[in-house]
Amino acid sequence: MATRSSASPAFATSAMRKAFWRILPLIMVAYLFAYMDRVNVSFAATQMNADLKFDATIYGLGGGLFFLGYALFEIPSNLLLVRFGARKWIARIMITWGLLSAAMMFVHTPGQFYALRFLLGVAEAGFYPGVIYYFSSWFPPCHRGRAVSRFYVASPLASVVMGGVSSWLLGLDGLAHLRGWQWLFVAQGLPNVLIGLVVLRFLPDAPATATWLTPPEKDWILGELAREQAGMAPPSHHNALAAFRNPRVLLTGTIGFLLIGAITTFILSAPMILTGATGLDLKHVGYLVTAGGIVGAATMLIAGDHADKHGDRWLNAFWFAVVMAVAFAVIDLSTTPLVVAIAYLAFAGSCFAIPMLTSSGWASLLSISELAVGAAAINTMSQIGAFVTPFAWGVARDATGTFHAGLALLFVMCLPLAVLLLVLRRQVRGGVVSRAVAA
């Protein structure tokens, strides 16, 4: 379990307070719009699929192709981030994905849908693992859980925003001869370009280049990070192939494959599932999604603080995985709208907390020289899950005419996920990855 250094608590407090306020709000806003552009197609689909005559297989494949593009370019993107610096590369990511997200308004054919979703994934590739790598150069372990939770809270907050404004944007149908789903894409895509320019101007690359830190504050941050690295075994190799041979990367990536595959697949179809299961119209489903975002944000912040204080993030992730499995089962089997709504809120409370808990632990599994490529490799495996599972979901939906088979699949995926989280916890607590072995 990480403990706070006894050295100069005044420097520690001031350094972390400045870093939290100067870095996290900007990164959080960036990720909020990134997450919206990733899954706003779930709201657009309620109109778009009917307009363009997309069946569930076409929609599932297009929805998943984003994550294939993301997966294929994760490692190259993270290597370029290390080369050019976080400020320039994150700004580049945001500007290109904002333009491509807005361009979704021009989709008319399945081929165009597939191409733009794939290119959107390519554009955003490296953002999340890049931020995790970036945080590893700013926040010592005893602050990292809170830092990642404050950044990742943008995911549930994106649900709050989408639930609140997406039905209104869809209601602009006919304005300027555009359909409502076209307004949704352009209104939620173009702000990223502006945010990217703000990142380029204000995000510092590292503590050494931050003009708002005093020399003692910089020294404290660098000293704490060096102390963390001293407790890890140095890797023999840290290239892409070595990352995929690393048992820690493979285990964590398998967890990500199951986790992100299940979460993403459900979120991409959540408005359609909830409309059918609760009898609510799209406006009130939007309110339910907003409530889920609030529950998810609160749960994540509490879980992040608890992880920093008590250190056992893996056991917490296990229990959240159990809750998520139960939520899928209830949504699949219940015919009572209120019960389905409560199960959805339980899903929302757990689905955002688990990725936050696991990814905030990556830096404790991998040395800093492994982390850029290792984090990208883990996220590559995760995004492959987010490509494969929505496609399988869509095929099952078209074959059976219901979402029952797909929901059963998501429940089954949660079972090995929970087991593997306990396996990883056992390895971490057994010191498999935490201490260097004397030569």
Side-chain angles (χ1 to χ4, degrees), residues 17 20-21 45 57 93 129 176 211 215 225 286 301 321 325 328 332 400 412-413 437:
R17 183 176 63 248
F20 269 68
W21 283 107
T57 301
I93 288 173
T211 58
L225 296 175
L301 293 176
F328 286 142
D332 184 22
T400 64
V412 170
M413 290 175 67
V437 177

Coordinates of all heavy atoms in Angstrom, one line a residue, residues 17 20-21 45 57 93 129 176 211 215 225 286 301 321 325 328 332 400 412-413 437:
R17 N -1.7 20.3 -4.7 CA -2.8 21.2 -4.9 C -2.7 21.9 -6.2 O -3.7 22.0 -7.0 CB -2.9 22.1 -3.7 CG -4.1 23.1 -3.8 CD -4.2 24.0 -2.6 NE -3.1 24.9 -2.5 CZ -2.1 24.9 -1.6 NH1 -2.2 24.0 -0.6 NH2 -1.1 25.7 -1.6
F20 N -3.2 19.4 -9.1 CA -4.7 19.0 -9.3 C -5.4 20.1 -10.0 O -6.2 19.8 -10.9 CB -5.3 18.7 -7.9 CG -5.2 17.2 -7.5 CD1 -3.9 16.6 -7.2 CD2 -6.3 16.4 -7.4 CE1 -3.8 15.3 -6.9 CE2 -6.2 15.1 -7.0 CZ -4.9 14.5 -6.8
W21 N -5.2 21.3 -9.6 CA -6.0 22.4 -10.1 C -5.6 22.9 -11.5 O -6.4 23.4 -12.3 CB -6.1 23.6 -9.2 CG -7.0 23.3 -8.0 CD1 -6.7 23.1 -6.7 CD2 -8.4 23.4 -8.1 NE1 -7.8 22.9 -6.0 CE2 -8.9 23.0 -6.7 CE3 -9.4 23.6 -9.1 CZ2 -10.2 23.0 -6.4 CZ3 -10.7 23.5 -8.8 CH2 -11.1 23.2 -7.5
A45 N -28.4 6.8 -32.8 CA -28.9 5.6 -33.5 C -30.4 5.5 -33.5 O -31.0 4.8 -34.3 CB -28.3 4.3 -32.8
T57 N -26.7 -5.5 -37.0 CA -25.4 -6.0 -37.4 C -24.6 -4.9 -37.9 O -23.4 -4.7 -37.6 CB -25.5 -7.1 -38.4 OG1 -26.3 -8.2 -37.9 CG2 -24.1 -7.6 -38.8
I93 N -4.6 14.9 -30.9 CA -5.7 14.0 -30.9 C -7.0 14.6 -30.8 O -7.9 14.3 -31.5 CB -5.4 13.1 -29.6 CG1 -4.3 12.1 -29.8 CG2 -6.7 12.3 -29.3 CD1 -3.9 11.3 -28.5
P129 N -4.5 5.8 -22.5 CA -3.2 5.4 -21.9 C -2.1 6.5 -21.9 O -1.3 6.5 -21.0 CB -2.8 4.2 -22.8 CG -3.5 4.5 -24.1 CD -4.8 5.1 -23.7
A176 N -32.5 24.0 -40.4 CA -31.5 24.1 -41.5 C -31.4 22.9 -42.4 O -30.4 22.5 -42.9 CB -30.1 24.4 -40.9
T211 N 6.0 26.3 -14.9 CA 6.5 27.6 -14.3 C 5.8 27.9 -13.0 O 6.2 28.7 -12.2 CB 6.2 28.7 -15.3 OG1 4.8 28.8 -15.6 CG2 7.0 28.5 -16.6
P215 N 11.0 25.4 -7.2 CA 12.0 24.4 -7.3 C 11.9 23.3 -6.2 O 12.0 22.1 -6.5 CB 13.3 25.1 -7.2 CG 13.0 26.5 -7.8 CD 11.6 26.8 -7.4
L225 N 8.5 10.2 -7.2 CA 8.4 9.3 -8.3 C 9.6 8.4 -8.4 O 9.5 7.2 -8.8 CB 8.2 10.1 -9.6 CG 6.9 10.9 -9.7 CD1 6.9 11.8 -10.9 CD2 5.7 10.0 -9.6
G286 N -33.3 9.5 -21.4 CA -32.2 10.5 -21.2 C -32.1 10.9 -19.8 O -30.9 11.0 -19.2
L301 N -15.6 8.7 -7.5 CA -14.8 9.6 -6.6 C -14.6 8.9 -5.3 O -13.5 9.0 -4.7 CB -15.5 10.9 -6.5 CG -15.6 11.8 -7.7 CD1 -16.4 13.1 -7.5 CD2 -14.2 12.2 -8.2
A321 N -17.3 -5.7 -10.1 CA -17.6 -6.6 -11.2 C -18.8 -7.5 -10.9 O -19.6 -7.8 -11.7 CB -16.3 -7.4 -11.5
A325 N -22.3 -7.8 -13.0 CA -22.9 -9.0 -13.5 C -24.3 -9.2 -13.0 O -25.2 -9.6 -13.8 CB -22.0 -10.2 -12.9
F328 N -26.6 -6.9 -15.1 CA -26.9 -7.5 -16.5 C -28.0 -8.6 -16.4 O -28.9 -8.6 -17.2 CB -25.6 -8.1 -17.1 CG -24.7 -7.0 -17.6 CD1 -23.3 -7.2 -17.5 CD2 -25.1 -5.9 -18.2 CE1 -22.4 -6.3 -17.9 CE2 -24.2 -4.9 -18.7 CZ -22.8 -5.1 -18.6
D332 N -31.8 -8.3 -18.0 CA -32.2 -9.4 -18.9 C -33.5 -10.1 -18.5 O -34.3 -10.4 -19.3 CB -31.0 -10.4 -19.0 CG -31.3 -11.5 -20.1 OD1 -32.1 -11.2 -21.0 OD2 -30.7 -12.5 -20.0
T400 N -32.0 -13.2 -33.2 CA -33.1 -13.6 -32.2 C -34.2 -12.6 -32.2 O -35.3 -12.9 -31.6 CB -32.5 -13.8 -30.8 OG1 -31.9 -12.5 -30.4 CG2 -31.3 -14.8 -30.9
V412 N -22.1 -13.5 -18.6 CA -21.0 -14.5 -18.6 C -19.6 -13.9 -18.7 O -18.7 -14.4 -18.0 CB -21.3 -15.5 -19.8 CG1 -20.1 -16.4 -20.0 CG2 -22.6 -16.3 -19.7
M413 N -19.4 -12.8 -19.4 CA -18.1 -12.2 -19.5 C -17.7 -11.7 -18.1 O -16.5 -11.6 -17.8 CB -18.2 -11.1 -20.5 CG -18.3 -11.5 -22.0 SD -18.5 -10.1 -23.1 CE -16.9 -9.3 -23.0
V437 N 14.3 -7.7 -7.4 CA 15.1 -8.8 -6.8 C 16.6 -8.4 -6.9 O 17.1 -8.0 -7.9 CB 14.8 -10.1 -7.6 CG1 15.6 -11.2 -7.1 CG2 13.3 -10.4 -7.6

